[in-house]
Amino acid sequence: MRTLYRLLTLLLTPLALLRLQRGETQPGRWRERLGWMDDAPPGTVWIHAASVGEVNAAQGMIQALLDCGETLLISTMTVTGANRCMALFGERVEHRYLALDNPFAVKAWLKRTRPRIGLVVETEIWPELFARCRSVKIPLLMISARVSTPALRRYRRFARLFSQALASVDLATCQTETDARRLESLGLRPERCVVTGNLKFDIELPEDLGAQAEALRSAWGQRTIWTAGSTRPGEEPILIAAHDTLQKSYPQALLVLAPRHPDRAAEVAELLNDRGLEWCRFGEVARPSTSVILVDRLGVLMSCYAVAQVAFVGGSLVRRGGHNLLEPAGLALPVLTGPHLDQQTEAADALESTGGLIRVVDANDLGLRLQELLANPNKAEGIGRAAQAAIHGGRGSLERTLAAVGPWLGTGPRKTSGPCG
């Protein structure tokens, strides 16, 4: 199985390179995916956060390790993840794209980076990378690990391959007991699993978020605003139809539409034009008649949520498993979402337990729910407070994760307290 996997990864390398480089603004960085790059500083703590969501989840841990004086190497798989990493941390961290999981690229990448430990955020199981870390004696930890039901089915199709990969994992800090049991069923030894919770519950709001939101209110006017974040192909037509329904009762309502991938902005713009809607891009002048703000950049979604009365989180009306429900919940907004939340089970359960989450199934349902919430501000406020209460109830994962990781960060005898010893 391992030999076949290696052969397939080698054959698919050219296609993977082409796919992953979409949106890259620094020509030549594709070489990093083959391990062709400058050396990283020796003795780094390497953190792999595949894309934007993982970078956001890891930001508290990254900041804590920087505060401890650690030299950090952050790897991402996607260009958007790289951009988010640089926006948050800039030159305070080293960044590299992760090698493609073929034997030659992985060997070269680890030779150039030479980390003393690897921390893989959430669930990225790369058989070649994991095996190579073990062979060169790099401790490997999975952080805030989760295994969704669809992912579990995929891994079980190649049970032996992934069991061998998990044998290289020294510790997994898991989001839930269910995640821990699933990793164990895939081959991770039980004594190497510890439940620490979901790091996303501990994300801190930006200090200048209030000022950012006030600036947007000034630019867009005192209007009824709802924000649809992290939307995926197939969702925008549903959201636009719901907005049409809403505008029958609230003609001045404004939809702030933020696709998950900003490079889809041209595609969404064409849809808005086809529907005859007046719209503008984020940062352009919005007139009173503007119906939709199209967000075509990263790093502004939280401010777009902060200016809204209601939030919708995408990836959920289509079968994508959902995206981060906790960001708008942390702002005490009522959170609307579709039915497909396989990737957000813990967050959805937490919000539903307090009454802070509303699931919708189609454009008509969403439009009616929006009207209901906007017509009853006290009810909307109560649902938003319930969502925020779920966030507060879930906090503590960062502290528990740092305590679990701390013993692995020493260069001599293992420490027994937090990450700074």
Side-chain angles (χ1 to χ4, degrees):
M1 177 63 74
R2 176 84 177 279
T3 300
L4 178 59
Y5 176 81
R6 285 179 155 188
L7 178 61
L8 285 173
T9 57
L10 286 168
L11 291 173
L12 293 173
T13 289
L15 291 176
L17 283 173
L18 289 172
R19 182 175 181 272
L20 289 168
Q21 287 308 104
R22 290 183 302 177
E24 179 56 72
T25 58
Q26 297 176 278
R29 289 201 65 187
W30 61 269
R31 295 180 177 88
E32 295 173 19
R33 302 182 189 274
L34 299 176
W36 302 345
M37 58 194 184
D38 294 334
D39 289 348
T44 58
V45 174
W46 158 46
I47 299 172
H48 177 61
S51 193
V52 174
E54 290 82 2
V55 172
N56 286 338
Q59 64 179 290
M61 180 179 67
I62 292 170
Q63 185 59 58
L65 294 177
L66 287 172
D67 291 344
C68 291
E70 296 285 1
T71 300
L72 301 186
L73 168 68
I74 312 298
S75 66
T76 63
M77 188 59 72
T78 67
V79 173
T80 53
N83 293 339
R84 182 58 175 159
C85 176
M86 292 298 98
L88 287 171
F89 302 106
E91 295 183 358
R92 291 186 293 160
V93 302
E94 293 280 328
H95 175 269
R96 302 286 190 278
Y97 287 113
L98 186 66
L100 297 175
D101 204 43
N102 74 57
F104 301 109
V106 166
K107 181 178 179 180
W109 197 89
L110 289 176
K111 185 177 179 179
R112 291 294 189 183
T113 56
R114 300 168 294 166
R116 76 173 196 269
I117 187 172
L119 310 177
V120 179
V121 180
E122 295 198 354
T123 305
E124 287 271 304
I125 303 176
W126 296 108
E128 188 65 38
L129 178 66
F130 281 30
R132 187 67 187 173
C133 284
R134 184 178 187 181
S135 68
V136 297
K137 296 181 171 52
I138 298 171
L140 192 64
L141 282 61
M142 297 175 70
I143 303 299
S144 201
R146 63 182 176 86
V147 183
S148 67
T149 300
L152 183 64
R153 287 196 293 265
R154 290 195 300 270
Y155 292 141
R156 280 179 171 166
R157 292 193 194 113
F158 309 99
R160 185 177 178 185
L161 180 67
F162 287 104
S163 177
Q164 291 173 342
L166 289 172
S168 301
V169 175
D170 294 282
L171 179 71
T173 69
C174 302
Q175 292 188 14
T176 67
E177 288 286 351
T178 298
D179 294 311
R181 301 294 82 79
R182 287 176 172 178
L183 283 172
E184 290 170 15
S185 74
L186 292 170
L188 186 61
R189 289 163 55 179
E191 65 271 20
R192 295 184 180 182
C193 290
V194 58
V195 177
T196 56
N198 187 341
L199 285 175
K200 290 178 181 176
F201 281 93
D202 287 294
I203 292 177
E204 297 293 336
L205 299 178
E207 292 182 0
D208 62 345
L209 185 59
Q212 293 176 29
E214 190 56 40
L216 292 180
R217 289 190 189 95
S218 298
W220 296 343
Q222 299 300 316
R223 300 173 60 178
T224 298
I225 299 173
W226 68 289
T227 295
S230 300
T231 64
R232 292 285 198 153
E235 290 187 312
E236 288 88 6
I238 299 173
L239 298 168
I240 291 169
H243 190 55
D244 287 341
T245 298
L246 179 64
Q247 286 191 307
K248 293 174 184 177
S249 301
Y250 295 86
Q252 294 302 308
L254 180 66
L255 165 60
V256 181
L257 185 56
R260 175 72 170 178
H261 298 109
D263 59 5
R264 291 189 55 244
E267 170 192 334
V268 179
E270 185 176 349
L271 175 64
L272 294 170
N273 289 332
D274 289 345
R275 296 297 177 89
L277 293 169
E278 184 170 339
W279 63 278
C280 70
R281 293 178 184 269
F282 185 93
E284 295 178 345
V285 176
R287 300 189 298 180
S289 55
T290 299
S291 180
V292 179
I293 304 289
L294 177 58
V295 181
D296 59 355
R297 66 189 71 178
L298 294 172
V300 298
L301 182 56
M302 283 298 288
S303 60
C304 292
Y305 281 142
V307 79
Q309 284 88 57
V310 181
F312 172 86
V313 180
S316 57
L317 285 168
V318 293
R319 294 184 181 277
R320 291 285 185 168
H323 292 300
N324 193 341
L325 303 170
L326 303 179
E327 289 177 335
L331 295 167
L333 289 176
V335 181
L336 296 170
T337 183
H340 305 295
L341 295 173
D342 291 335
Q343 303 288 346
Q344 301 293 323
T345 302
E346 183 199 8
D349 289 346
L351 292 176
E352 287 184 320
S353 72
T354 62
L357 184 70
I358 298 173
R359 300 195 193 216
V360 298
V361 296
D362 54 26
N364 182 62
D365 193 12
L366 176 56
L368 292 175
R369 289 289 194 168
L370 288 168
Q371 288 181 325
E372 178 186 359
L373 291 169
L374 294 172
N376 297 277
N378 289 337
K379 180 178 181 178
E381 183 180 351
I383 294 171
R385 285 199 305 267
Q388 192 175 57
I391 297 290
H392 293 159
R395 288 189 180 276
S397 176
L398 177 59
E399 182 179 354
R400 291 188 292 269
T401 299
L402 292 172
V405 169
W408 295 90
L409 294 178
T411 55
R414 288 183 180 169
K415 302 173 186 178
T416 56
S417 55
C420 301

